[in-house]
């Protein structure tokens, strides 16, 4: 089974923050983590420096390749920066 993961730290959420399944909206300085497991990507966010990760609303999402999962990670980071209760963008 193939897998890959990426983490981007120091992502400041735009106005309105990012929506999570567990705790609702997160704002401020966040870390974004994407794990790709061969056919889907899972996206989680956390307050930078925290140990608790939260599922970004819309995750997991079908994703057929490692390259597409990297592109998705970049899109998610931009969505978090944009804010407005960001969720995982359609991919």
């Amino acid at each position: 089974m193939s897998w890959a993961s990426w983490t981007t730290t120091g992502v400041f959420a735009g106005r309105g923050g990012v929506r999570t399944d567990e705790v609702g909206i997160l704002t401020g300085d966040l870390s974004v983590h994407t794990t790709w497991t061969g056919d889907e990507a899972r996206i989680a966010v956390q307050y930078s420096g925290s140990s608790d990760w939260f599922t970004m609303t819309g995750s997991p999402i079908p994703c057929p390749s490692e390259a597409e999962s990297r592109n998705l990670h970049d899109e998610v980071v931009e969505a978090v920066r944009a804010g407005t209760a960001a969720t995982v963008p359609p991919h």
Side-chain angles (χ1 to χ4, degrees):
M1 178 174 177
S2 297
W3 72 275
S5 68
W6 297 273
T7 303
T8 302
T9 60
V11 180
F12 193 83
R15 177 178 229 143
V18 58
R19 183 171 302 282
T20 69
D21 291 348
E22 297 87 358
V23 296
I25 302 293
L26 297 184
T27 61
D29 184 11
L30 305 174
S31 296
V32 178
H33 181 79
T34 301
T35 302
W36 174 71
T37 59
D39 61 354
E40 72 177 13
R42 295 182 175 271
I43 296 93
V45 293
Q46 72 173 180
Y47 287 109
S48 291
S50 173
S51 60
D52 296 322
W53 288 95
F54 304 102
T55 304
M56 189 170 173
T57 300
S59 174
I61 186 169
C63 192
S65 74
E66 182 177 344
E68 285 187 42
S69 67
R70 177 60 195 191
N71 291 337
L72 175 62
H73 177 80
D74 292 341
E75 291 172 18
V76 167
V77 168
E78 290 308 311
V80 170
R81 287 184 177 134
T84 65
T87 59
V88 175
H91 189 73

